[in-house]
Amino acid sequence: MRPPRRAAPLPLALGLSLLALLAARGADASVHEYAGGGGFAPRANSFFFHGGSEGLYASDPSSNSSASFIRFDTVVFRRTQESASRHEEMQQKTGLVEAIIVEIQDRDKIGGSYLHSDAICCTPELDKEKSCRVGEVIIRPNPDNPEWPKRIQTFFEGKNEETTMLPRLVSINKTGMYYLYFMFCDPQLKGLKITGRTVWRNPQGYLPGKMAPMMTFYGFMSLAYLALGLLWFIQFVRCWKDILQLHYHITAVIALGMCEMAFWYFEYANFNSTGTRPMGITLWAVTFTAVKKTVSRLLLLVVSMGYGVVLPTLGGITSRVAALGSIYFVASEALELVENLGNINDFSGKTRLFLVLPVAILDATFIIWIFSSLSRTLEKLQLRRSMAKLELYRKFTNSLAVSVLISIAWIGYELYFNATDPLSELWQRAWIIPAFWNVLSYALLAIICILWSPSRNPTGFAYSEDAGEGADEEGLSLVGSAMKGTGDMVNMHIFPEDKRA
């Protein structure tokens, strides 16, 4: 389970949710849409528009159906009326726009760095040296593959304000991270807009390369949750007459985990076959993820407070626990919506930071509250000399502490990974980052299931006020959640509790 992170006010959380819905609207994935009439940004002596970037595997030469490609579909460029009016009707090639596809390892071959120039577009001076052609982006061909980086040119004709790029399919024969830029060098084209779309496909489907392993991972995780749920259900049925309220909460978390993994698997499978995210399935998957994360954290919190063990109810703090859970759900849902319904590679870092911070603060609040509650619960159990329960909570505390330490170490690795790989050159390993949190969450849930497994003697860790103060429990031990007694305590069904609770 991802390390708990602190609390944001409800109006902020609701605002984040609305922002997420707006940011997610109309988003695609391997089909990159340029529907908003995107503009070009200046860089050096050029103007560029980022058309997308994805990890692509090389085409399978043994199969025509396993081709990897980038396809241009009805890409239209529109220049301003002022720009078009500067030319005559009969003129040809009155403006040039280039689509540049470059594999990230060849990025140094774009621009004039090898000519000891900071220019990206060819200048008259460089043209005189026969190094490039004026008006074009400077590209130094890869000696091992002279056709790359790939250049596709589209010209305006006469006084036309629009020009359409011819349909083109670019085959990918080398595995790598590919970037697509639309660029022009003529300052008179300033104000140029682009519409249309490009389609990116891997040999096995439309999933981006860094996401493709996640479909298999979610399939395995679905089976893992199914196995855990089956084992839990068998024990649940065997001891159904002695089930505690806590067992229903654990059952809910297992069920949510099964649904979450199944929805993500089907979402990725549909995405892989169509190239666009199935909005309905994605919304369900995102919602199940947010609900499961919220319920999981609430389960850890109420268990840490000793609910049903030291406290019969949560009393006056119930509303605070519910409020924290509600705010966390809204903030988590907002973040998940934008991350999974936004464009795969064009997600704004500032927007993401704005959504990540509230979730991080809320998680920190959870972890502080959980460990402070565990400390009080352990203290109460020591004072009551409830040794079996104390042993159970010590195991739980140790497991939680280890998971938090592992989480902190992994966050450090994740920060290092992202800092040292700004251009996604390590895209083939990127899937491990989100997969780890799912595995850790599953492991922690499995530990809780083992420690609080349904038992025919459930009162071994149930709350009770029937006992006298300071009773000795040294003859009791808790294995899983079953209680074994010795001597005249064999038939005892409750642990003596201190009435001072």
Side-chain angles (χ1 to χ4, degrees):
M1 198 168 293
R2 207 162 196 158
R5 295 172 194 162
R6 279 180 254 188
L10 185 57
L12 174 60
L14 291 173
L16 295 179
S17 182
L18 290 173
L19 174 65
L21 288 170
L22 290 173
R25 185 176 55 188
D28 291 299
S30 288
V31 178
H32 292 265
E33 296 276 1
Y34 318 124
F40 287 67
R43 176 170 295 180
N45 63 341
S46 70
F47 296 83
F48 80 99
F49 176 85
H50 184 205
S53 57
E54 283 183 18
L56 295 174
Y57 291 94
S59 299
D60 184 355
S62 63
S63 174
N64 293 329
S65 62
S66 298
S68 181
F69 59 77
I70 301 173
R71 190 177 73 235
F72 295 84
D73 288 350
T74 59
V75 176
V76 177
F77 304 105
R78 183 177 180 83
R79 58 183 171 181
T80 63
Q81 186 176 13
E82 180 185 359
S83 175
S85 64
R86 293 172 179 170
H87 303 282
E88 298 299 327
E89 192 69 47
M90 301 304 294
Q91 275 186 283
Q92 295 181 341
K93 298 182 178 181
T94 56
L96 170 63
V97 185
E98 297 182 289
I100 309 294
I101 305 173
V102 57
E103 201 272 320
I104 195 60
Q105 293 183 352
D106 291 336
R107 60 186 179 276
D108 61 333
K109 293 178 171 57
I110 303 296
S113 58
Y114 77 103
L115 300 173
H116 309 291
S117 171
D118 295 331
I120 295 177
C121 293
C122 188
T123 62
E125 293 77 15
L126 294 174
D127 180 54
K128 289 178 182 178
E129 299 175 10
K130 307 295 183 182
S131 302
C132 55
R133 297 174 61 181
V134 173
E136 295 183 356
V137 174
I138 303 170
I139 296 180
R140 177 164 57 105
N142 185 334
D144 298 326
N145 191 358
E147 294 184 1
W148 287 86
K150 183 73 68 176
R151 181 204 307 266
I152 304 172
Q153 296 184 329
T154 302
F155 290 92
F156 283 92
E157 299 293 336
K159 303 180 70 170
N160 293 341
E161 295 182 20
E162 283 189 359
T163 186
T164 301
M165 188 175 179
L166 294 175
R168 181 76 176 267
L169 187 145
V170 178
S171 296
I172 304 299
N173 299 313
K174 177 187 174 185
T175 297
M177 172 60 69
Y178 287 85
Y179 280 72
L180 167 64
Y181 292 100
F182 295 98
M183 306 180 70
F184 66 86
C185 300
D186 186 356
Q188 292 186 1
L189 288 177
K190 191 174 181 179
L192 185 74
K193 301 292 183 180
I194 179 174
T195 56
R197 70 174 192 169
T198 54
V199 178
W200 306 53
R201 191 186 191 281
N202 268 295
Q204 304 305 320
Y206 290 98
L207 271 176
K210 62 182 178 182
M211 296 175 66
M214 289 299 292
M215 185 172 73
T216 303
F217 171 78
Y218 283 130
F220 278 115
M221 287 303 298
S222 297
L223 295 177
Y225 270 99
L226 183 62
L228 180 63
L230 183 61
L231 293 173
W232 180 264
F233 179 74
I234 291 171
Q235 190 68 7
F236 195 95
V237 172
R238 286 180 64 245
C239 309
W240 70 274
K241 291 183 179 179
D242 302 305
I243 293 300
L244 302 177
Q245 189 67 31
L246 181 63
H247 293 137
Y248 290 102
H249 295 301
I250 297 174
T251 302
V253 175
I254 296 174
L256 286 169
M258 292 172 61
C259 293
E260 178 195 14
M261 294 298 109
F263 270 112
W264 279 121
Y265 175 79
F266 287 116
E267 198 266 357
Y268 272 54
N270 192 297
F271 180 5
N272 192 49
S273 62
T274 64
T276 57
R277 306 200 80 149
M279 188 68 70
I281 299 177
T282 304
L283 286 173
W284 277 106
V286 163
T287 301
F288 270 106
T289 296
V291 171
K292 195 204 81 169
K293 288 169 67 176
T294 303
V295 174
S296 298
R297 283 154 178 73
L298 292 177
L299 175 63
L300 288 175
L301 182 58
V302 299
V303 168
S304 301
M305 289 176 173
Y307 171 64
V309 178
V310 176
L311 303 171
T313 65
L314 296 180
I317 62 173
T318 303
S319 58
R320 283 190 288 165
V321 172
L324 179 60
S326 300
I327 296 172
Y328 184 85
F329 168 74
V330 174
S332 179
E333 177 86 351
L335 178 61
E336 293 288 338
L337 279 171
V338 172
E339 284 191 326
N340 292 285
L341 295 180
N343 284 345
I344 293 300
N345 58 317
D346 301 325
F347 188 64
S348 167
K350 291 182 179 179
T351 303
R352 188 177 189 281
L353 181 63
F354 180 70
L355 294 170
V356 164
L357 279 178
V359 177
I361 294 172
L362 289 164
D363 268 332
T365 299
F366 267 112
I367 197 169
I368 292 171
W369 200 353
I370 285 170
F371 276 101
S372 61
S373 299
L374 272 174
S375 178
R376 287 192 295 269
T377 300
L378 289 169
E379 185 179 349
K380 287 181 180 181
L381 292 174
Q382 275 186 318
L383 289 173
R384 297 178 186 185
R385 295 165 58 194
S386 300
M387 305 311 294
K389 295 179 185 178
L390 183 61
E391 180 186 355
L392 175 69
Y393 266 84
R394 278 177 176 165
K395 290 179 179 178
F396 175 64
T397 303
N398 291 338
S399 301
L400 195 58
V402 169
S403 71
V404 170
L405 291 175
I406 293 174
S407 297
I408 293 172
W410 190 258
I411 288 174
Y413 171 75
E414 189 173 338
L415 292 172
Y416 170 79
F417 183 90
N418 291 328
T420 56
D421 188 36
L423 299 176
S424 300
E425 294 179 80
L426 303 176
W427 58 277
Q428 289 172 289
R429 286 160 39 191
W431 69 275
I432 299 174
I433 300 293
F436 169 82
W437 297 114
N438 285 290
V439 172
L440 185 62
S441 175
Y442 178 83
L444 196 53
L445 178 59
I447 290 171
I448 292 175
C449 289
I450 293 171
L451 293 177
W452 274 274
S453 175
S455 166
R456 284 196 165 84
N457 294 305
T459 49
F461 49 75
Y463 175 81
S464 173
E465 295 183 346
D466 293 347
E469 186 176 328
D472 185 10
E473 293 186 61
E474 293 293 345
L476 298 176
S477 63
L478 197 64
V479 180
S481 58
M483 181 181 71
K484 295 181 180 180
T486 60
D488 58 357
M489 303 178 72
V490 170
N491 296 319
M492 187 176 183
H493 292 290
I494 57 173
F495 285 96
E497 295 291 344
D498 191 342
K499 293 184 179 180
R500 293 176 298 174

